[in-house]
Amino acid sequence: MDVVDRGNSGLSFEMLDPAPVGVAVTRGPGHRLIYSNVVYRSLVSDPGGGVSVEEAFSESVLPHYLPLFDQVHATGEPVISTAEPAVPIRGRRDLGERFFTFSLSRVVFGPGDHGVLVVVMDVTEQTTAARRMTANAEERHRILRRYESLMRVSADIFWVTSREGYVSEPSPSWERVTGQQWENYRGQGWLGAVHPEDRPATVESWSRAVAQATEMWEHVYRLRTVDGGYRHFQLRAVPICVDGQVVEWVGTSTDVEQQWQEQRRQRLLDRAAAVTTQLHSLEEMLGALADVIVPELGDGCGVYLVTDLTDERHGGAPFVIERLATAARPGLRRLPPYSEEQLPAGNAFVKAVRRRRPLLKRFPAGSPPPAIVPTGTLPWLTANDANSVLVLPVVVDGAVPAVVCVVTCGDRSPISQADISLLNRMFDHAHDALSRAIRFQRAQQIALALQYSLLAEPPRLPGLQIVARYRASPAAAEVGGDWYDSFVLPDGVPVLVIGDVAGHDLSAAVAMSQLRNMLRALAMDRCEPPGEILTRLNIAMESLSDDVTATCVYARVEASDGGYRLRYAAAGHPPPLLVTAEGRGRFLEGAVSPLLGLPHHGTRVSQVEPLPPGSTLLLYTDGLVERPGEHLDRGLERLRSLAESVADEPADRFCDTVVSGLPTSGLDDIAVIALRLPRP
């Protein structure tokens, strides 16, 4: 840079006075200050006049930067320094830490006469802000590194997502635990490793946390691990914010399977103890325990009462079981609570009871072995892709009064040894309550055995199917007066009978037995219309105690024009129900006469009704439809509606559903007998 000499007054630098930056000029190798503008003087000298610009320059600034001045003066190469800290100036009061950016360049006054042009800018504010941002970034990075190191010690998985909640960085720990690769779990791909049943709740919870920028998000889900099984993980995530805005999420996933199992174990034990303490009957207790087991330990559960009978009614079969309760997880059809089956001695179910040890079978989904469960349950296992079955005998006071059957289905892990141990502990905790209920139940079993001895097994007829069920009142330990009967007359016509002797004690059972035998004898003696048979039975009852009364329906199933018709009579009994194969039901309300045991003059009437192909005729006692304080018509309508809904079910399942699917008082016995006609 060349400058012009303007006489004795020196060089003309006034043109630099308005510059918004500090400007100074030196001359000669000694760097004598010959010019400074207002801005430069304000930056270097003391505004209060304590230190002049010449003094500050010669005593503080120049000595500090002398090598740079010499270099520029000698070579002519400019020097630029950015954000240089201010040089302390003697006598100047402390104005805090300041930073300057300056440049030094050579100026030419004449041949061999050189100087240095100094341009200075105060960048304290910009430098301080930049340093603050750098410090904040370094602090954040250090905190994140420290947090990540801590998480690697305390958590199994460490992960980072974008502000929108999508996985944005690879996680070696996630890959190690789940076996998923980065291209599979990035974004929302990680959901593929979450248990299908837990995905909806996880997505909903995480989406809500991201939308609301929750301070701390916590959630538990099941995660598929590298070995293919599922384990429970505790998720925690926090938002990382800059200037009040979320920029990303940092989270951990910690394996809490053992802790979760312990908590579940205690929760189930507490629930099992609570339900058995509050209930009294064995049926109620076992039903409540089934609801505790499902869905926590299985997808389905059946509870069976074991009756070891060898009487004539059961054809000498070594085992008769009655299903008392069922449970199924949401989405699976629940089997009727009540059913009755006979099991051969070689059945695995029977062997488990005999040995008093649990039996666990695992198998391909939907392919259960045929002898592991009662026959009526096998189609349910196949239809719902069952993959394991546990038959667990319930041992109480040295006996096996009941058996619990637990099933897992579909993708659910089969029942484990830990589950079996937990189930055993549940029933051990409930032992005292079950023992009290079983003492009452044993008295019922004795009464039930007596009752069964008075009832006949329905005959097996070509083309016709007859099924009967008897269910004792859970509230009484005595035999009752309900009965059913079915036999074939000398003329080849099948007969169905249902009746109910008033009372619920031993005398009622004795009267029932006498009445049943008398009716059989009268029917076999003469093949008369049903009304006339009931007329003669009413006369014969005079030989019994005066206070014996009973209701009865007597029905003949007669062949007619390639089909069948029903000829029947009813004495004070609820009307028979006829349900067509198409599911339309109606009550047969003709041929009605008063109770048996009351004076009645004249012959009781009979009625004839056609029986459509595939239809079902149901005879039943009043315990099925009567409830205290309710009109009988409501109970009858419930029965008709339920029977119509299961008209296409097999006859045995039809009866099981009818017996267990209606709200009853529980104060009376229930007897039913059903006739299923052949389809065309």
Side-chain angles (χ1 to χ4, degrees), residues 88-129:
I89 298 175
R90 180 182 58 81
R92 179 187 176 97
R93 69 173 185 267
D94 186 14
L95 299 178
E97 188 176 25
R98 304 178 71 193
F99 298 90
F100 298 93
T101 291
F102 65 86
S103 67
L104 305 178
S105 56
R106 190 168 72 175
V107 295
V108 179
F109 297 99
D113 189 6
H114 303 152
V116 177
L117 172 66
V118 182
V119 179
V120 182
M121 180 183 298
D122 189 338
V123 293
T124 302
E125 184 176 346
Q126 297 91 321
T127 302
T128 302

Side-chain angles (χ1 to χ4, degrees), residues 129-328:
R131 289 193 172 189
R132 187 183 302 114
M133 292 180 63
T134 301
N136 288 341
E138 291 177 351
E139 178 68 13
R140 174 176 172 271
H141 188 60
R142 184 170 63 256
I143 291 173
L144 286 178
R145 287 202 310 270
R146 186 181 301 164
Y147 183 71
E148 182 176 358
S149 299
L150 178 62
M151 289 303 100
R152 286 174 179 169
V153 174
S154 61
D156 297 282
I157 301 173
F158 180 80
W159 45 270
V160 177
T161 76
S162 65
R163 62 185 301 174
E164 294 82 12
Y166 300 104
V167 174
S168 57
E169 295 183 13
S171 171
S173 56
W174 177 273
E175 296 173 12
R176 184 184 67 253
V177 172
T178 67
Q180 276 191 318
Q181 298 303 308
W182 167 236
E183 60 271 15
N184 296 325
Y185 68 84
R186 67 188 303 175
Q188 289 187 307
W190 60 275
L191 285 168
V194 179
H195 195 288
E197 294 178 4
D198 295 346
R199 285 176 199 163
T202 301
V203 170
E204 179 185 358
S205 179
W206 177 233
S207 299
R208 186 168 56 249
V210 170
Q212 299 175 356
T214 305
E215 184 175 342
M216 166 72 81
W217 177 65
E218 294 184 289
H219 187 71
V220 175
Y221 65 8
R222 285 170 289 177
L223 189 65
R224 187 179 62 244
T225 57
V226 70
D227 61 2
Y230 286 94
R231 296 181 67 84
H232 286 81
F233 278 75
Q234 170 80 51
L235 287 88
R236 290 188 175 92
V238 294
I240 304 301
C241 299
V242 175
D243 296 331
Q245 298 295 319
V246 176
V247 295
E248 63 184 15
W249 290 77
V250 178
T252 64
S253 301
T254 305
D255 189 330
V256 293
E257 181 66 23
Q258 184 174 356
Q259 176 186 349
W260 187 89
Q261 292 289 356
E262 288 295 334
Q263 291 174 347
R264 182 185 69 156
R265 182 178 293 108
Q266 192 57 52
R267 183 175 69 253
L268 292 180
L269 291 175
D270 291 344
R271 286 180 58 193
V275 297
T276 51
T277 300
Q278 297 167 0
L279 302 175
H280 301 288
S281 75
L282 181 63
E283 180 177 348
E284 290 176 328
M285 288 183 186
L286 294 176
L289 289 172
D291 289 332
V292 173
I293 293 170
V294 175
E296 290 282 357
L297 298 174
D299 298 305
C301 180
V303 182
Y304 298 85
L305 182 66
V306 176
T307 308
D308 195 358
L309 298 175
T310 56
D311 59 33
E312 180 183 356
R313 174 179 180 273
H314 297 289
F319 249 82
V320 175
I321 59 171
E322 293 182 51
R323 189 169 63 214
L324 300 180
T326 60

Side-chain angles (χ1 to χ4, degrees), residues 1-37:
M1 175 181 179
D2 293 334
V3 295
V4 181
D5 186 350
R6 291 186 180 273
N8 296 332
S9 62
L11 301 176
S12 177
F13 293 105
E14 291 81 359
M15 56 180 292
L16 299 177
D17 286 346
V21 296
V23 179
V25 179
T26 68
R27 188 170 187 174
H31 308 299
R32 179 172 57 87
L33 182 67
I34 62 173
Y35 171 79
S36 63
N37 69 355

